[in-house]
Amino acid sequence: MFAILLSAGPIAVLAHGFAGTGSTITGLLMAAPIAALLLLARWREFRPDICDVLFVLFCCGIALSFAVNGVAAPKEAALLGLSLAAYPAVRVSSRCGQVPQAFVVVTGAIVAVGAVVTLVALLGQWNDHHGKPLVFDEYDAAPAQFTTALGLLLLALACTELNWRRTAWISILAAVPLAIFAASMVRYSFIVIVVALLAAMLVAKAGQRKFIAVIVCVTIASVALGAVVRSSTTLRFAKLAEAALGFQVAEPGNDESPAPPVSPPASALPAPAASGRVATEAAPPVPAPPPSQASCPSIDPDNSIIIRQQLYKDAFALLPEAGLTGLGLDGFPQRSCLKGFQVHNSILQAIIEFGWPAGIFLILLLYHAMGTRMVSLARINREARFVLCSLVFTLMLSMAHGRISRDLALFLFLGYAAKLRSSALDIEEQAWVFGDGPIRTIPAPGVGARLNAA
């Protein structure tokens, strides 16, 4: 169930491509595991944590915003409800003390199939101007979703007990999908994967760090190989990045001058990614309102960096107007120069659309879930190590690709972190008696105190 929740997006893309399923199946992929986790919950073991209080306050801020602004986007409101429900569903689930093996197996299978279908699309669209292959001739966001699943898989494996043989197998098996997704022009997700793996290396035991370092090096080398294999497209994307960052001056009469501003493609299949985002169906560019206003310049539709720069400018300009209840869910796209585009930053979106109190509660929730207490647990427990590094991973993704109504993975790992924080004493006692590993029964109550006395 845990793997299905985190990979709902990739599974939905594959189900739609192979079986022609629609949004109903996507909704079931999210709702069914959440309902099952809540039904199997161990409510008697629930011990409140400061993260729980902050989450409830954040939800209250959202409810207040809905009460004041109404619900203008019912579909997004439903997705937001499912994403928020992931927090309590995982919060009251049972602990296993290590990375779930079922998660590794299921996610590994999804990544393998995703790599194959992406490779088929890539070979058929190698020189396509768009650069990103349309998986099943529809979804250019699919490679990024599969990459997100691959990132979580690598983190899960990096938080297991590694040796040279296991590390070699992980590196060999991961190299191929890494190169395929890199050739598909997935970019930022690889930066996030490397940063999260480095975080895992920092909190891992000294003897495990060299193995994680090997995985990091293989990841970088595989991504570089994928970029080199498709060098012409890579260079074109690099030029777009240079133009966005101001390192390149456009020449008059250049055939690759920025195109007219566009609105985002229409969403056909709501397929939330591992981070809770939704894959969009590729469609012809739709002209946005004329850029007659000084604050709404012409935007190159192929340059995602320039698009985000404009979205962030609009977001910071709207922050003073957020007030106590914000603009309402999906209020930002109606006020941005790029109509229909979300801000692509979950924290900024929370402040703008739900108000400053809700945004502050979310920031405080993130701070406590990833704070010193969680870092201490990650140093002595594999399960906590995986959760902390996954929080780094999903938070970084949400800062560049996030949409709060589809950030299911972020709220899932926030709930997971709260569960581990509330069990900190048990985790520390288990680690002191048995070391890092699965949960085992302590010989007798208070064994730690008696051993100390001895």
Side-chain angles (χ1 to χ4, degrees), residues 65 67 106-107 157 193 221-223 242 245-246 296 303 352 364 427:
S65 177
V106 173
T107 307
L157 293 171
I193 289 174
S222 301
V223 171
E242 289 177 358
L245 299 174
C296 295
N303 197 326
I352 292 169
L364 290 175
I427 293 173

Side-chain angles (χ1 to χ4, degrees), residues 56-141:
V56 170
L57 291 173
F58 173 63
C59 292
C60 289
I62 294 175
L64 181 61
S65 177
F66 279 148
V68 173
N69 300 296
V71 182
K75 174 184 172 182
E76 292 303 317
L79 288 172
L80 175 62
L82 287 173
S83 295
L84 293 175
Y87 181 101
V90 176
R91 175 68 178 85
V92 293
S93 62
S94 59
R95 286 182 50 242
C96 62
Q98 60 183 353
V99 178
Q101 291 299 312
F103 171 78
V104 174
V105 173
V106 173
T107 307
I110 292 169
V111 170
V113 178
V116 171
V117 297
T118 301
L119 179 60
V120 171
L122 182 61
L123 293 175
Q125 305 166 43
W126 190 267
N127 296 315
D128 189 82
H129 178 77
H130 184 59
K132 300 178 181 179
L134 301 177
V135 176
F136 299 119
D137 294 323
E138 293 185 80
Y139 302 106
D140 64 349

Side-chain angles (χ1 to χ4, degrees), residues 248-314:
Q248 184 183 51
V249 179
E251 299 178 5
N254 191 337
D255 291 338
E256 295 186 359
S257 58
V262 297
S263 291
S267 176
L269 173 67
S275 59
R277 298 183 304 279
V278 173
T280 55
E281 179 178 317
V286 179
S292 56
Q293 304 175 18
S295 60
C296 295
S298 177
I299 299 295
D300 182 355
D302 290 327
N303 197 326
S304 61
I305 298 177
I306 288 182
I307 290 173
R308 280 174 173 76
Q309 287 175 342
Q310 183 60 47
L311 291 173
Y312 293 160
K313 288 178 183 177
D314 295 342

Side-chain angles (χ1 to χ4, degrees), residues 77 154 156 178 223 225 269 277 303 336 373 425 453:
L154 286 175
L178 283 167
V223 171
L225 176 62
L269 173 67
R277 298 183 304 279
N303 197 326
S336 171
R373 189 175 189 181
L425 293 178

Side-chain angles (χ1 to χ4, degrees), residues 188 312 343-347 394-402:
Y188 179 70
Y312 293 160
V343 66
H344 286 77
N345 184 304
S346 297
I347 293 178
T394 53
L395 177 59
M396 287 187 65
L397 284 177
S398 72
M399 296 296 285
H401 298 299

